[in-house]
C-alpha cells in the first residue's frame, strides 16, 4: 500500500459532494463529519428528485437505520443512478438481522452492486445468512468471527467489505487489512458509525478500491484517538472528534496509522 | 423507598434495549443520552417492521413531537406489542393542548395503557381535559397546579405520571414524590425532556412501579447539576450533561438525590 | 437605522414562538439556536395540524433542505396561514438550482409572499432565473454577483432578501445593507445557515421590515465572532456558538455590529 496520507490529501483536494440517504439520528452528525474532514455533504431523499440529485454527486451513501418503504425506494433510485454512472456508493445495513423488512430491502440493494458495504460483525454475518439478529445496532458478534463472512460477501457482491469494531477488518475478497486505530468512546456516541460511511464515500469518490477504504478507516480511528486525549466523556468526545477530523493532516495519518496487511 | 442508587446500578447491569418512536428534533440527543447513561437505544418506525422490532426491546418510548398519521400508526403498533407482552412503555404527549390532531392521537394511545406518562404541567392538564393549549412545548402552567391532575390521570390510566418542571412531581395515583434535582439550563437545551423518556424507560425496563421512575428523575436532574458546574451556557451545558450522565455513579445518586416522599 | 441592539432587546422581551418547517439535518440545531438566543421554537409539519398550529405562532420559517411532496404541502398550508394573518414568514430555498422539483416548490412558495428570503448567492441567483445549479448547498457564486439579483427578487416578491456569505447583503429592493460580522468556521458547521432563518423570524416577529433582519444578521455573525475566540475547530465552535448566542447582549450588538448602509 502506498503512503497512506495521500488518500486524505487527495480527498481534500477534490472535496467531493457526497449524497447521503441516511437515518434521522445520524443526519446532522454525518453532515458535520463530512464538513470537518473536508468534503461536501448533501441529504436528499424524495423520489421526485433523488435520481436527478444523485447524478450531481461524486459518491453516495445509503444507511437503512430509520427505514420506511418510501425511503427504501429512494435508496434504490439513487443507487441505480450511481451504478449506471460508474460512481461509488456505500451501503450500511443497520440492524439487518432484526426484521424481515430490513432483510428484503438489503437484498434489493445488494443487487445494485454497492462499492463498499460497512457493518458491525452481526450485520455482516446477517447479510451472508450466517448470523443471528442483532441487539439493536450493537455488535453482538466479534469481528474475528465475521472475517470469513466478510470475504465471502466481498466475493459474492464485488464490494469492498468493512467490519467495524475495536479492530476493523477490510477485504476485497482476496486481500485483507486490519486497522487498529480507534478509541473506546466511539461506540458511546451515536451515529459515529453511520457518519463513517460518508468519510469512506469521500475517500473512494476519486479512487476506487480497498486502499482508500483502509485509509478512511485509519483516518477516522486516528481522529478518535486525538479526540480521546481531550475528552472527559462521550459529550466532550463528540466535540473533540469533529475538531480532530478537521485538524488531522496527511502527515499525521502516514505517521500514526496502524494498519496490518494480512 | 430503598437506597436510590440501586436503580441506576440495576439498569446499567441490564443495559436494556430501549425502542424509541420520537420526534426528529430529539432523536440524536436521545440516542446519545441513552448510550451515555448505559442503555442501548434504537429508533424504528415503519409499520412494516415496528411491531416485530418492538418485540425485541425491553422498553418503548413514544413521543408525539413531530407527529404525522403514519408515525401515529407506528406508535400504536409498537405500544400494542409492549402491552401484549407486559413490557413497559412511556408516553410523552408533546404539545397535546395545541391541536385537535394531537388530542385524538393521545386519546388512542392512552387506551393502550402506557406504563408512564411524562409531560410538563400544561400537557398533563391538557390530557385530563382541564388545561388550556400550551405555548409550544413550554410549561405555561406550574407543576403545583398540575399535581392533582396528575393524580387523577394516574388513577384513570393506571400509569405512573410525571410532571416535569423546576421541581418534578411523580405519582402512581396514591403516593407522590417531589424531585428537586435539576439545573436552570436544562430547559434551554432542546430535547432534554424528550430524552428523559428514554432514561425513564431504561430504569423501568426491569423494574416496574413508581420508585425506578423517581430514581430516573433524580439521576437525570443530578447529572444536570454536575453539568451546570462545568457549563458557560446552553451549548457547553449539553456537552457536559452527556459526560455527567456517563460519569454519575449509584453512590452519587444515593448521596445527592433530593427526593421528597409526600 | 436606530440603535441596533434594541432589536435583540425587543425580541427577547417578546420571546416569540417560531414555527419551523425545516430539514432533518437542521431541526435540532435550529431549536437550540432559538432557545439560546431567547425565542421559543416548535417543529410541526403534518397536514392534519400544521395550519392550526401556525395560527398560534408569531412567525414561521420554511426550509426546503430535505424536501418531499408531503412536506411541501405542509409548507404551503403554514405559509398561507401566516399570509392570511399578516404574520411574517421566512423562506430558505436550499439547493433550488439543483433539481426541477425544488424549482417547482419554490415557485409555489414565492406566490405565498414570504416576508424574508434568505439564501446563498447561488440560490438567490437561481431563484431569479439567472443562476446555475448549486453544488450541494455551498455558494459557488459570490455575494457581490448576487446583489443585483437580490434587489430584483425583492422588488418582484416584496420580500426582504438576504444573501448569506462572508459579507452578507440585505435589501428591500431599494435600500441595501452589508453586514461584515461572522467567522470562517460558520460554514464548516452544518445547519448554522438554516438556523439563522429562525433568528431572523424571531427578530421580525414583532417588527417587520429590513432593519430587524439586518440586526438579526449582525447578532448572529457577532455570536460567531465570540465563538471563534473560544474554538479549536468546528466541533468546539458549534458549542461555543450556542453559548455566545445566549450571552450576547444588546449592548454588545450596538457596539460590535459592523453594518454598512449602502
Amino acid at each position: 500500500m502506498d503512503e497512506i496520507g495521500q488518500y486524505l490529501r487527495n480527498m481534500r483536494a477534490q472535496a467531493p459532494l457526497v449524497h447521503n440517504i441516511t437515518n434521522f439520528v445520524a443526519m446532522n452528525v454525518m453532515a458535520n463529519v463530512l464538513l470537518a474532514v473536508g468534503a461536501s455533504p448533501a441529504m436528499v431523499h424524495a423520489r421526485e428528485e433523488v435520481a436527478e440529485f444523485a447524478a450531481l454527486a461524486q459518491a453516495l451513501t445509503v444507511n437503512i437505520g430509520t427505514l420506511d418503504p418510501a425511503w427504501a425506494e429512494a435508496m434504490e433510485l439513487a443507487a441505480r443512478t450511481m451504478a449506471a454512472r460508474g460512481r461509488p456508493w456505500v451501503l450500511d445495513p443497520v440492524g439487518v438481522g432484526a426484521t424481515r423488512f430490513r432483510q428484503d430491502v438489503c437484498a434489493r440493494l445488494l443487487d445494485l452492486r454497492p462499492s463498499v458495504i460497512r457493518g458491525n460483525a452481526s450485520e455482516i454475518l446477517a447479510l451472508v445468512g450466517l448470523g443471528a439478529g442483532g441487539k439493536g445496532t450493537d455488535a453482538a458478534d466479534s469481528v474475528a468471527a465475521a472475517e470469513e463472512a466478510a470475504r465471502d460477501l466481498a466475493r459474492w457482491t464485488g464490494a469492498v467489505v468493512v467490519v467495524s469494531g475495536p479492530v476493523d477488518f477490510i477485504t476485497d475478497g482476496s486481500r485483507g487489512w486490519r486497522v487498529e486505530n480507534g478509541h473506546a468512546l466511539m461506540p458511546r456516541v451515536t451515529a459515529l458509525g453511520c457518519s463513517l460511511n460518508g468519510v469512506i464515500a469521500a475517500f473512494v469518490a476519486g479512487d476506487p478500491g480497498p486502499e482508500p477504504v483502509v485509509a478512511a478507516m485509519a483516518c477516522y480511528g486516528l481522529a478518535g484517538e486525538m479526540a480521546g486525549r481531550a475528552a472527559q466523556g462521550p459529550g466532550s468526545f463528540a466535540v473533540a472528534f469533529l475538531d480532530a477530523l478537521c485538524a488531522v493532516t496527511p502527515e499525521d495519518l502516514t505517521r500514526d496509522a496502524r494498519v496490518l496487511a494480512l
Side-chain angles (χ1 to χ4, degrees), chain A residues 106-119:
Chain A
C106 282
R108 289 202 301 277
L109 289 168
L110 285 179
D111 284 343
L112 298 172
R113 311 276 306 201
S115 317
V116 182
I117 302 169
R118 193 199 65 81

Side-chain angles (χ1 to χ4, degrees), chain A residues 83-104:
Chain A
R85 293 181 170 249
R87 290 192 186 154
W89 73 281
V90 179
L91 171 64
D92 185 345
V94 179
V96 61
T99 70
R100 189 55 154 158
F101 178 53
R102 279 162 201 262
Q103 289 153 29
D104 292 345

Side-chain angles (χ1 to χ4, degrees), chain A residues 1 3 20-22 51 86 107 110 112-113 121 197-198 222 229 238 262:
Chain A
M1 193 164 159
E3 184 249 326
N20 306 289
I21 308 179
T22 189
L110 285 179
L112 298 172
R113 311 276 306 201
N197 303 329
L222 178 57
R229 289 194 281 275
L262 301 178

Side-chain angles (χ1 to χ4, degrees), chain A residues 14-257:
Chain A
Q14 186 189 5
L17 175 62
V18 180
H19 177 183
N20 306 289
I21 308 179
T22 189
N23 66 74
F24 299 121
V25 180
M27 282 198 192
N28 181 273
V29 184
M30 191 165 191
N32 275 327
V33 158
L34 280 165
L35 287 171
V37 83
S40 183
M43 277 68 178
V44 171
H45 69 280
R47 86 188 72 180
E48 286 75 8
E49 64 174 356
V50 70
E52 187 180 351
F53 191 86
L56 303 174
Q58 274 83 52
L60 168 75
T61 72
V62 168
N63 171 302
I64 65 165
T66 54
L67 196 61
D68 78 20
W71 285 70
E73 184 185 345
M75 292 168 186
E76 288 188 60
L77 289 167
R80 205 175 295 280
T81 300
M82 301 315 270
R85 293 181 170 249
R87 290 192 186 154
W89 73 281
V90 179
L91 171 64
D92 185 345
V94 179
V96 61
T99 70
R100 189 55 154 158
F101 178 53
R102 279 162 201 262
Q103 289 153 29
D104 292 345
V105 170
C106 282
R108 289 202 301 277
L109 289 168
L110 285 179
D111 284 343
L112 298 172
R113 311 276 306 201
S115 317
V116 182
I117 302 169
R118 193 199 65 81
N120 61 37
S122 298
E123 291 157 352
I124 297 302
L125 286 164
L127 266 195
V128 291
L130 297 173
K135 178 195 171 195
T137 60
D138 297 332
D141 299 286
S142 74
V143 175
E147 287 200 4
E148 269 315 295
R151 287 182 191 271
D152 289 345
L153 184 62
R155 282 188 287 257
W156 165 36
T157 62
V160 175
V161 175
V162 179
V163 189
S164 285
V167 175
D168 305 306
F169 176 70
I170 299 99
T171 182
D172 63 357
S174 53
R175 290 172 295 166
W177 293 263
R178 291 201 189 106
V179 175
E180 297 188 348
N181 298 95
H183 191 276
L185 279 171
M186 295 180 86
R188 295 297 290 271
V189 178
T190 199
L192 287 199
C194 307
S195 302
L196 169 55
N197 303 329
V199 176
I200 292 171
F203 273 67
V204 298
D207 192 358
E211 289 87 353
V213 177
V214 171
M217 298 301 293
C219 180
Y220 209 69
L222 178 57
E225 294 170 18
M226 294 163 69
R229 289 194 281 275
Q232 302 182 291
S236 48
F237 181 86
V239 172
F241 182 67
L242 290 175
D243 286 355
L245 272 178
C246 188
V248 64
T249 65
E251 292 72 30
D252 294 333
L253 182 54
T254 297
R255 187 185 61 242
D256 294 328

